[in-house]
Amino acid sequence: MKTKIDLNVHTHHRAGTEERPGSCGIVIFGASGDLAHRKLYPALFDLYYAGHLPENFFVIGFARSVWDDQAFRKQVLETLKEIGKPDPAKQKKFVSHLYYRVADLDDTASFHHLADALKELHQKYKTQGNVMYHLAIPPEACGNVVAQLNRAHLINPPKKGGPWTRIIFEKPFGHDLESARALNHDIHQYLKEEQIYRIDHYLGKETVQNILMFRFANSIFEPIWNRRYIDNIQIMAHETLGVEQRAAYYDHAGVIKDMFQNHILQLLTLCTMEPPIKFNAEQYRDEKTKIFHALRPIPRGKVNDYVVRGQYGPGKLEGKKAIGYRQEKGVAPRSQTDTFVAMKLFIDNWRWQGVPFYLRSGKRMNAHGTEILIQFKQIPHSMFSSVPPDTFASNILCFRIQPDEGISLRIESKQPGPEFSLASLNFNFEYKNVFHTHLMGPYERLLLDCMHGDQTLFIREDQVELSWAFIDKILEGWQKSHAPKFPNYAAGSWGPEAANKLIEQDGRKWRSYVANYSAPTDEHGKKL
Ligand code: BG6
């Protein structure tokens, strides 16, 4: 039976976001790359299709491939077709706004050509000099690009009513604390923080934004959202995907930099931050930053007590044989890169003192799913003499971020019948059954927010540095400690057995709606 829920919709518009954004040009660096094709063009088309893009806009693709406008449009059309976007006529209209210029990022002349194109197109489209640059390029290239833009007079200083320049920086923002700081320093020579949009696409997901609404638009959870009532919080992001074509990047990053430094720590802040006074970019981000300040650093010498790392070997996934990480194209044959990490951490503040947070993420896992579980404490006393309190299932609130988006709450209930028997049941809310609408994709949302000049869902300078500082300590600990023998889990399993021990030694268990961790396997997929 479908859940019947009364929808009583109140709309809260953040400043300036109620209408289409003002006219602007969009320049995509790395326009021939994978990210642009997989995420940016589909998102821009979806925005166009839904009528969210400005009345007047144009897009310039800027990349090394030697294409012209026509070739670029053809490529984008092919991408849209491949992923099954609707309405070919509208697609054609959309690509008529697209232009292309060949880029050599080290050559100032390229930026002068870009300046000429921008001038011409601003006139043609009446976009008033407003421009959003999206840097879908590696972090090492970003500092130089911003300096080049400045040299070619392509950055407008922020001025009320004047033409605006905003720059989106893709993740990773740096590859450690030092490089992130250096990049912040370099770009701040030419840009004010209010022009800088560091992306973390998880923040653009509907289900992730809903964590805050759930916590702060309802009065019933906030009083119990603390160490007195919550036993532990688990955040899990399991992927069935491997490294695909991205080994050149991934083999230097691993899951710790690829998922934890950004997405997972961001999810943690949303679950644990204090309510901001106002939902605006600065106050909201101030509260998130406080959590980063309160993260207890993982002691270098004890890193293995808090963090378990893994790498997948050959295995079986979805009924098919799957190769190991070291056999993937572009991966070093003796790579020591982590494709799985589980960790335990603490937040040293009044609200969370003593509550363990268990986080885990891995590639090539048995099933795909991102979830957050809030496990409440067990009842303190059982009034049923025959049932000891620790046999009651504790209440668990689960945010299913993806797939099967929704929220569920497990409660204990009387099993109908003459006896006092208990049954655990789940209140379950599913987006698809309640909101019969397309969930806006994260890139759509974030590109639109940038065009509106809303930084709320972007990462501020202090956060990016604090999260790197936390991760760097773990990496230093790894360098000094004994590395596990990789591979240590099979593709298609639930990760190394040590990840279970990490939580079981605290008398707890991983809980998951997607996964059943009861059958860990060794690196050959054999049940342990
Ligand atoms: C990216 C990582 O940031 O997030 C990828 O680089 C990962 O390795 C991806 O697969 C996961 O995103 P999502 O939205 O599919 O959960």
Side-chain angles (χ1 to χ4, degrees), residues 362-382:
K363 293 239 181 244
R364 283 295 196 214
M365 308 294 288
N366 187 288
H368 167 66
T370 302
E371 2 168 33
I372 301 174
L373 277 97
I374 319 285
Q375 183 166 4
F376 291 89
K377 291 196 168 164
Q378 268 172 328
I379 54 163
H381 164 75
S382 166

Side-chain angles (χ1 to χ4, degrees), residues 171 201-202 205 239 246 249 258-259 263 363 402:
K171 67 150 273 245
H201 78 281
Y202 266 55
K205 291 181 192 267
E239 295 189 88
R246 300 160 69 223
Y249 148 74
D258 188 50
M259 292 292 290
H263 312 323
K363 293 239 181 244
Q402 64 193 25

